[in-house]
Amino acid sequence: MKRTKIIDLFRPELLGKEVCVMGWVRTRRGNKHVQFVALNDGSTVKNVQIVFDMAQFTDEQLKPITTGAAIKVDGTLVESMGKGQSVEIQAGALEIFGTADPETYPLQKKGHTLEFLREKAHLRPRTNTFGAILRVRSALAFAIHKFFQERGFFYLNTPLITASDCEGAGAMFQVTTLDLNNLPKNEDGKVDYSADFFGKSTALTVSGQLEGELGATALGAIYTFGPTFRAENSNTPRHLSEFWMIEPEVAFFDITDNMDLAEDFIKYCIRYALDNCRDDIDFLAEHYDNELVDRLKFVLDNEFVRLSYTDGVRILEESKHKFEFPVYWGADLQSEHERYLVEEHFKKPVILTDYPKEIKAFYMKLNDDNKTVRAMDVLFPKIGEIIGGSEREENYDKLSARIEELDIPMKDMWWYLDTRRFGTVPHAGFGLGFERLVLFVTGMTNIRDVIPFPRTPNNAEF
Ligand code: 4AD
Ligand code: MG
């Protein structure tokens, strides 16, 4: 018989019918007359209860059904008298695919801490919590493509191996085919990359933006959605060494268009998750964060505050709040500052614009004051920065002057500068950290819990 997913068992037309379910056992309990098995197959956070009438089954048959075992059950779907479920399956036939020794299977029934589950990252997708998170993550990825495709953006795949450092933060993972124990050297003692497969020094990308600009200045509007890598040693609940980023880039866009797009986009994704993942979100809210649904709705119902970095810093300076890091004009804002503006002062998401040029990347458009650039960071409750973006400097002379000023090797940037040499246009874009969005929507507090296999300093087991 064909398998029915547990999520489909709740359709009224299946009531009274024969069904076949396959999944992993969460619990088994009961007595010598009747045994109840809670089964989950990953299609939903809901388990289905399977009722074994022990007049038809032997103890011996059911003995291997312990937590974690994989089974197949054919039976009749009936209304349930038990609380917490509308339907259950009256078991007819049982097949055991694989057992899970209770002595060694780590995910026994008791609720595990998230810390414990991080140690068991290879098995944690089998818990209700990680099932819920991973389904929400998948739905959000779909929503992202849907949002951009419906608006005529083209999905552009940018390289993961690159020779350019988009953010200039010097936090790149080197990629080389050279023997690290025997690196060829030039006369001046520097590594000679000409012998490398790529013929030059390469690294894993920190952002697809620069190539994204090539796409936008040809196709009009593109978005990227792929993994990015940062070798910064930040051990925080909001940083990963490998994270996914969505980077739309649009020709003929200014910073206001960019802010409108960012706000519409993020609201669309949150609404999509609320409309399509309600069981999972409610489960996570119940177990980890009572205010989750209210917070999501609050973001949807309110316009984001838009203000300049300069005004933001003034508010922070005038506040009586004791910050760990000092705040003054020119300082790079820390997450405590961002969260103060969002959570304490405005109590709404904030888009902060026009940052000092010294603390932002080389490609941002210089304002007339010659001191600030047309940057925009979207700041969220509980998260801090969720999006970073800007209007780009489209003027060839200004951009190459900035590149020179920052000592970025010109020879590496010729292809990028060609966008400004030939048919340059005003354009803008931004990057959304996918895991920060998933953090916000699931109410989790540690970014390691919203990506299936987190890569952080000292963490690359498999
Ligand atoms: O602010 P960032 O560094 O901006 C860029 O990379 C631009 N090139 C984007 C663009 O304009 N196209 O990164 C963008 C976002 C941040 O706002 C944050 O959400 C996320 O990426 N992010 C990280 N997420 C997880 N771990 C890290 N180490 C992250 N670094 C940035
Ligand atoms: Mg940023």
Side-chain angles (χ1 to χ4, degrees):
M1 201 181 162
K2 205 166 151 266
R3 171 186 172 214
T4 307
K5 287 189 182 170
I6 291 174
I7 193 166
D8 294 327
L9 294 177
F10 304 94
R11 295 206 318 254
E13 67 267 26
L14 282 185
L15 208 59
K17 300 266 162 48
E18 287 299 298
V19 293
C20 166
V21 288
M22 304 182 198
W24 294 269
V25 171
R26 291 290 196 251
T27 57
R28 176 163 66 89
R29 62 186 174 83
N31 52 44
K32 61 181 189 309
H33 305 295
V34 61
Q35 289 276 315
F36 301 100
V37 168
L39 192 74
N40 188 284
D41 69 358
S43 62
T44 165
V45 75
K46 291 181 187 161
N47 301 331
V48 69
Q49 172 159 287
I50 300 169
V51 185
F52 288 89
D53 178 351
M54 292 312 282
Q56 291 175 39
F57 292 89
T58 63
D59 286 349
E60 214 43 43
Q61 265 178 302
L62 263 66
K63 204 164 155 229
I65 305 186
T66 55
T67 298
I71 63 170
K72 168 184 171 183
V73 174
D74 290 284
T76 315
L77 189 70
V78 297
E79 244 176 278
S80 175
M81 298 298 145
K83 67 172 173 36
Q85 73 233 352
S86 54
V87 293
E88 63 191 20
I89 294 172
Q90 208 71 54
L94 165 71
E95 185 183 327
I96 295 168
F97 292 126
T99 56
D101 180 2
E103 296 297 317
T104 49
Y105 183 59
L107 304 179
Q108 295 305 323
K109 349 180 184 168
K110 62 178 170 16
H112 298 291
T113 64
L114 294 169
E115 289 77 11
F116 172 82
L117 292 174
R118 251 170 251 149
E119 306 275 304
K120 308 281 177 241
H122 61 306
L123 291 173
R124 70 180 183 173
R126 294 201 195 170
T127 61
N128 281 348
T129 295
F130 282 88
I133 293 168
L134 296 178
R135 280 185 296 272
V136 172
R137 183 179 165 107
S138 168
L140 284 169
F142 181 70
I144 286 161
H145 283 293
K146 194 161 143 59
F147 176 87
F148 287 117
Q149 296 284 338
E150 281 171 354
R151 283 158 187 76
F153 285 61
F154 300 103
Y155 180 36
L156 185 80
N157 300 121
T158 52
L160 300 188
I161 298 176
T162 175
S164 51
D165 182 358
C166 174
E167 292 306 299
M172 300 183 87
F173 286 100
Q174 298 301 307
V175 175
T176 182
T177 53
L178 297 175
D179 176 1
L180 290 178
N181 296 316
N182 191 15
L183 288 170
K185 299 272 168 64
N186 283 326
E187 279 153 23
D188 56 7
K190 292 209 172 113
V191 179
D192 177 9
Y193 283 100
S194 64
D196 187 83
F197 178 88
F198 296 106
K200 53 163 46 182
S201 159
T202 52
L204 294 178
T205 189
V206 296
S207 155
Q209 178 199 322
L210 302 185
E211 295 88 355
E213 288 183 53
L214 300 178
T217 55
L219 301 171
I222 62 90
Y223 68 104
T224 73
F225 186 177
T228 49
F229 307 86
R230 307 244 168 139
E232 59 204 30
N233 200 351
S234 352
N235 247 313
T236 84
R238 276 175 296 275
H239 288 87
L240 289 163
S241 307
E242 176 180 304
F243 65 100
W244 286 63
M245 186 151 51
I246 298 95
E247 297 184 272
E249 191 71 32
V250 194
F252 320 111
F253 243 39
D254 65 15
I255 190 172
T256 308
D257 301 320
N258 209 29
M259 288 192 277
D260 292 345
L261 180 72
E263 185 166 344
D264 286 351
F265 170 51
I266 213 160
K267 284 180 171 171
Y268 179 96
C269 294
I270 295 169
R271 191 170 298 114
Y272 186 89
L274 270 174
D275 289 347
N276 292 278
C277 309
R278 199 48 200 263
D279 286 346
D280 289 324
I281 290 175
D282 284 345
F283 174 88
L284 295 168
E286 188 189 326
H287 289 87
Y288 298 98
D289 182 353
N290 292 328
E291 291 160 16
L292 177 60
V293 175
D294 287 343
R295 194 179 314 113
L296 297 179
K297 289 190 173 160
F298 183 77
V299 167
L300 294 182
D301 292 343
N302 282 281
E303 269 183 30
F304 297 1
V305 175
R306 300 179 182 190
L307 91 157
S308 69
Y309 168 92
T310 303
D311 289 343
V313 166
R314 191 173 307 127
I315 291 169
L316 292 168
E317 281 175 334
E318 285 168 6
S319 82
K320 302 269 176 294
H321 194 85
K322 284 247 170 311
F323 294 111
E324 193 186 333
F325 291 91
V327 61
Y328 51 90
W329 199 95
D332 206 355
L333 298 185
Q334 303 295 322
S335 125
E336 55 166 346
H337 305 129
E338 297 170 339
R339 291 182 61 178
Y340 178 85
L341 289 174
V342 172
E343 292 167 18
E344 310 287 327
H345 190 83
F346 289 108
K347 300 191 163 60
K348 282 182 194 171
V350 172
I351 310 184
L352 215 53
T353 62
D354 304 291
Y355 284 69
K357 66 176 179 188
E358 284 75 18
I359 57 171
K360 288 293 181 187
F362 73 95
Y363 50 71
M364 295 190 183
K365 187 177 171 75
L366 192 62
N367 281 316
D368 292 338
D369 61 12
N370 270 325
K371 287 187 344 202
T372 58
V373 287
R374 242 163 260 185
M376 48 161 259
D377 277 9
V378 180
L379 314 179
F380 253 44
K382 294 206 45 172
I383 305 288
E385 179 190 336
I386 193 161
I387 280 179
S390 70
E391 193 173 328
R392 319 304 188 191
E393 183 56 77
E394 84 267 21
N395 180 292
Y396 178 86
D397 294 331
K398 286 190 190 167
L399 183 60
S400 33
R402 188 70 183 138
I403 288 176
E404 226 166 284
E405 211 177 338
L406 292 173
D407 243 354
I408 302 170
M410 272 300 212
K411 66 172 181 16
D412 293 343
M413 297 310 287
W414 63 269
W415 56 274
Y416 182 66
L417 283 165
D418 269 6
T419 55
R420 278 58 168 179
R421 275 207 320 156
F422 307 120
T424 189
V425 287
H427 61 289
F430 61 80
L432 168 77
F434 186 44
E435 285 73 22
R436 295 201 186 169
L437 175 67
V438 185
L439 262 186
F440 185 72
V441 173
T442 57
M444 292 290 109
T445 52
N446 192 316
I447 201 161
R448 293 164 178 80
D449 296 334
V450 297
I451 184 164
F453 307 106
R455 290 293 170 264
T456 51
N458 299 318
N459 191 358
E461 187 87 22
F462 50 83

